[in-house]
Every structure is written in structure tokens, then in C-alpha cells.
Amino acid sequence: MLDVPAASTLPAERTVELSISGMTCTACAARVEKKLTRIAPGVVAAVNFATEQATVTAPEDVPVQAMITAVKDAGYAAGLIEPAAAAGPSGDQAAYLRRRLILALVFFVPLSDLSVTLSLFPSYRFTGWQWVLIALTAPVALWAAWPFHRAALKNARHGAFSMDTLVSLGVVAACGWSVYAMFRLDQGPASLGASALPGLTHPAGGGIYLEVAAAVTTFLLAGRYYEARARGSAAGAMRKLAAAAARDVCVLGPDGQERRVPAGQLRRGDTFVVRPGEKIAADGEVLSGESAVDRSMMTGEPVPVETTAGDTVTGGTIALSGRLVVRAVQVGEHTQLAQLIALVGRARRTRPPSSAWPTGSAESSSRWCWRPRR
């Protein structure tokens, strides 16, 4: 028989939530996850790129600083999730990408028209046309595309590659070849006519790809901008849920005196007072009083519900009319509102399985694997 270790001999585990910044694609998330799981035996990590958060389950003897250091070694920044930041990233990233996207669009439209025209129709070229194209390309290829270049350089310092590496190399290659073609190879005469066919046969004809560098930068910035907006909207919804909780509460002492304290200091079994227009600070049972309670935030009911002694109330709802005296039954993270916020947060952080098909199955191979024809 195999000896099964007793539960008391198994190492105690804990779950740590980390915020990860600097990730630009799912490959980055996979790299961070691999670094975290290699910290020590028994460490299990799940990194979600969409929410920029990592859930790490590890033995209690593994320090949090070791997790943060592992993420930094992978080339990213990490920190413990603060309660105020648990909802996710703010709209700062979207605003940052929006500025670069607008500039890329402003230069992309004239650059595309001019680059293609001067490449295919040499007769339209004028003195200094190469410098005009470079002036239109530089803001896009350098400033607008800087997020891709910066991520590529950071990955290169850690010996890693990601989608940003491909984008950065593509932009640099397109610009480098185009400059070489314009100043060295494209020396054909300007009297080839206005037809595109002779233009395609002259030296380096059609070899100017500055509009390609601008197009790649613009479309990828647009994708990341709308992705950041979607993440910001989801985070905003969670922040609205968190804002529904009461910040302070009027506790009724044994001597009948009322004192206002932060809602976090409310304990189970305490008696507190809710006046008209105030938020209910915890789940509880009404001891006395009558009031219409707006529960639309929790249940979606459009009409307030009349509440009297003996009824239950939910934290985050609002007393509209009379005064209520409530005994706290569930407080803090055990209230229905806190559990709802935690449930939404877990749903956003949960990553779907890497494959919807069983590993090694014929259906999985035929669907996801590409094989060359023999």
C-alpha cells in the first residue's frame, strides 16, 4: 500500500493576486506564467493578459517578493493588487494609445497616396521628393510606433521575442529598404511617362514601402486602442459596483449613543442606523423602523421595496424614506455586494482552457494543426 501523507504534513498554500504591467500580447502572459511557475515546486500561476493580473498559488514559505522578482526578471513590472486597483486598468492606457493613433492617421493618409504614386509614376517626382516621404514617415515610424519598438528592445534585453518584435522589425525593415531604394537604387530617368507599366520595370520600381510601415503601425495601434477601451469599460463597471458600498456607518452603541465610523470597522452583530438617503453598510436584519429600500443595484427591481422589522436588507442598497435600525449579519468581504464584485473579478481573470479539444485527439489535430501536403 502507498502511504498517503496526512493533511497536517502537506505544505500550507496561499493565493496571491499580482498586477502585471508591460505585457503587450498573450505571448508575454505565457512568459510571465512560465517564470512564476519556476520559482519553486508547487507554485501554480495563471496570468490573464486582458486584465493584466496574475493569480499565483504557492506554498506559504515562498515570499511574495520572489514572485515580483521573477516577473521583473521576465522584463515586466509587478506588484500586489491594491483594493482600489482590483477593478483593473484605468483609461490612461487608452488615452496614451489614442494620441499616437491620431498622429498615425494624420500622416498615414497622405503618405500612402504619395508613396504609391511616386513609386509607380516616376514622371510625377519632383526635386527632394525623397525627403518629403521621409518627413511624412518619421512621425509614424518613430513616435507612433514607439510602443512596439520599446517592447521589442525590452524583450531583446531579456533574450525573448514577441509580436512587438515582429512589428518593430517590419517597420524598421520597410523604412530601411525604402530609404536605400530611393537614394541608391531608384535612379531611373523621370521621363518614363505617366503609365504605371514602365514604372514597374524601372530600377527599384514599386520598391518603396513606406506606406506599409505606416499602415502596420496605424492598424495595430487601432486594435490596441479599442482593446484598451474595452478593458477600461469592464474595469469601470467593477469600479461602479465597488462605489455602491457605503464608506461610513452610524453605529448604535449599547448606551444608545450613535457614532459614525468607517464601514470597514463594522463588525458582525453590531447594530447600526440607516437614515433616509443613506446606503446600507452591510447585510443584516431590520430590528426596528420602516423604509422603502431601493434594491435596483443588486436585484434590478425598478420599484423600491417596503421594509419593516424582521426583514433582511443587503449592503449597498439605499433606504429612501424612513429610519432603520439594523443588526449586521454579514460584513466586509462576506456581504453579497463584496462577493458579487469578487465573482466578477474572478470571471475576468479566469483564462479559458488552452484548447477546447482533448489533447492528442484526432479532432484536435485536424482542427488546430497545419500540415503541408506531401
Side-chain angles (χ1 to χ4, degrees), residues 25-257:
C25 62
T26 54
C28 300
R31 188 176 306 114
V32 173
E33 187 173 300
K34 185 180 296 183
K35 283 283 187 180
L36 288 171
T37 54
R38 290 179 177 176
I39 295 176
V43 177
V44 179
V47 181
N48 191 302
F49 166 67
T51 59
E52 296 184 336
Q53 294 177 3
T55 303
V56 185
T57 302
E60 289 188 347
D61 58 350
V62 177
V64 176
Q65 188 58 41
M67 305 177 190
I68 296 176
T69 302
V71 176
K72 290 181 178 180
D73 291 341
Y76 308 94
L80 281 174
I81 294 180
E82 300 294 336
S90 64
D92 294 341
Q93 181 69 10
Y96 169 80
L97 293 172
R98 183 174 180 269
R99 292 193 297 269
R100 296 181 184 269
L101 175 60
I102 291 175
L103 181 136
L105 285 171
V106 168
F107 285 91
F108 166 64
V109 175
L111 174 63
S112 299
D113 184 35
L114 196 59
S115 178
V116 174
T117 301
L118 296 180
S119 177
L120 297 180
F121 299 92
S123 61
Y124 293 161
R125 295 174 182 174
F126 48 87
T127 303
W129 63 276
Q130 300 98 327
W131 297 108
V132 173
L133 292 182
I134 291 176
L136 291 173
T137 306
V140 182
L142 297 178
W143 190 79
W146 175 243
F148 306 109
H149 299 319
R150 180 179 57 189
L153 291 173
K154 183 185 295 185
N155 290 329
R157 286 198 299 266
H158 293 84
F161 303 93
S162 67
M163 186 187 72
D164 297 278
T165 306
L166 299 177
V167 175
S168 179
L169 287 176
V171 171
V172 172
C175 293
W177 169 258
S178 297
V179 171
Y180 176 71
M182 289 189 298
F183 288 97
R184 295 298 301 272
L185 301 181
D186 216 351
Q187 301 297 329
S191 59
L192 292 173
S195 174
L197 293 179
L200 292 174
T201 60
H202 81 286
I208 302 174
Y209 302 107
L210 296 177
E211 77 283 356
V212 175
V216 169
T217 301
T218 302
F219 284 107
L220 287 179
L221 280 175
R224 292 197 175 178
Y225 166 66
Y226 286 110
E227 179 186 26
R229 280 189 58 185
R231 288 158 52 189
S233 298
M238 289 193 64
R239 282 192 290 269
K240 289 181 180 179
L241 278 176
R247 297 184 179 275
D248 52 21
V249 58
C250 184
V251 178
L252 185 63
D255 55 356
Q257 296 294 323

